[in-house]
Amino acid sequence: AQTVTQSQPEMSVQEAETVTLSCTYDTSESDYYLFWYKQPPSRQMILVIRQEAYKQQNATENRFSVNFQKAAKSFSLKISDSQLGDAAMYFCASTPREYQLIWGAGTKLIIKP
Amino acid sequence: ETGVTQSPTHLIKTRGQQVTLRCSSQSGHNTVSWYQQALGQGPQFIFQYYREEENGRGNFPPRFSGLQFPNYSSELNVNALELDDSALYLCASSPNNYGYTFGSGTRLTVV
């Protein structure tokens, strides 16, 4: 069974600084997908970044980038130039079949002005 | 493009009752998934429908059932509600089995 672990229940960062959220996963699948989602108080899950495991290159989306270490089964999210609007719960998720996302417990990100 | 709309936003039911939650997806989104998110936890996959047929199910009992309609709307039905069913229920849809768009969820409270 696939599992996703987020070991940081809460992280805080000063506005404009950089923060890294950790995620590890366990899977026996050879091909799978990894995601970071953001859930603000509005409750809607918003896709931040997506990584296909067969791709060596780390995915980036503007200020958001990942450090994907396939052998270590690690998938961390780096947020550069943190903004107040980045404050939210961040969830790491994985799926071997492009559906049935397996989710971590989430990390609450606090941005200090 | 209208996104994914879930109704109602909040709901309170009594233990033992039945509930129907609704989700309206974007046109062309043939795939819809439902998730249960307990307070302070990550979501748990309930099931997925593709073109009106269930094609994947998580570790949820049969009292959790669903329907998907040709107009891209779907329902989650839960019978014999239990206190532990209290959670946020999320609907997510996709035109191509990835790149899901999520709704804002229905907060169900069972008392």
Side-chain angles (χ1 to χ4, degrees):
Chain A
Q2 200 152 354
T3 60
V4 175
T5 303
Q6 293 179 251
S7 59
Q8 306 154 316
E10 185 175 297
M11 292 284 285
S12 63
V13 63
Q14 206 70 35
E15 192 177 3
E17 297 291 307
T18 296
V19 63
T20 298
L21 309 184
S22 301
C23 173
T24 59
Y25 61 94
D26 188 21
T27 181
S28 57
E29 303 285 340
S30 58
D31 194 18
Y32 49 92
Y33 302 80
L34 297 163
F35 306 84
W36 278 98
Y37 278 88
K38 168 185 176 181
Q39 188 178 40
S42 67
R43 309 184 316 201
Q44 183 183 22
M45 287 289 186
I46 301 167
L47 179 64
V48 175
I49 205 161
R50 178 178 185 267
Q51 173 85 43
E52 289 125 331
Y54 66 87
K55 288 187 177 179
Q56 301 285 344
Q57 189 172 5
N58 289 326
T60 62
E61 286 289 340
N62 301 314
R63 298 183 294 108
F64 299 87
S65 62
V66 297
N67 183 5
F68 174 46
Q69 302 290 327
K70 191 172 184 178
K73 296 182 179 176
S74 171
F75 184 62
S76 60
L77 175 70
K78 186 172 82 171
I79 306 174
S80 303
D81 186 25
S82 298
Q83 300 175 1
L84 294 177
D86 296 333
M89 286 292 295
Y90 284 80
F91 290 92
C92 178
S94 173
T95 178
R97 292 177 293 276
E98 296 198 38
Y99 71 94
Q100 191 172 342
L101 292 169
I102 309 298
W103 301 77
T107 296
K108 182 178 182 180
L109 180 63
I110 299 168
I111 311 294
K112 298 177 182 177
Chain B
E1 187 171 285
T2 58
V4 177
T5 304
Q6 292 188 242
S7 62
T9 55
H10 296 83
L11 193 57
I12 299 174
K13 303 291 278 187
T14 302
R15 188 171 49 182
Q17 285 187 314
Q18 179 267 343
V19 69
T20 297
L21 310 182
R22 294 181 170 82
C23 175
S24 177
S25 303
Q26 298 171 221
S27 178
H29 280 210
N30 296 311
T31 303
V32 64
S33 299
W34 286 88
Y35 291 85
Q36 180 195 66
Q37 185 179 14
L39 195 63
Q41 297 182 23
Q44 299 286 321
F45 174 73
I46 303 175
F47 46 57
Q48 174 165 295
Y49 280 77
Y50 175 70
R51 293 190 173 181
E52 304 166 50
E53 297 284 333
E54 183 181 300
N55 73 340
R57 189 176 184 93
N59 189 26
F60 279 81
R63 60 188 185 84
F64 285 77
S65 63
L67 287 171
Q68 185 186 24
F69 303 100
N71 66 352
Y72 305 108
S73 66
S74 60
E75 291 180 354
L76 164 65
N77 299 289
V78 186
N79 293 323
L81 282 166
E82 301 176 359
L83 295 180
D84 285 348
D85 295 334
S86 295
L88 179 68
Y89 289 85
L90 295 167
C91 166
S93 70
S94 170
N96 50 18
N97 215 25
Y98 66 89
Y100 285 86
T101 301
F102 281 80
S104 296
T106 293
R107 173 76 67 192
L108 173 65
T109 302
V110 182
V111 297

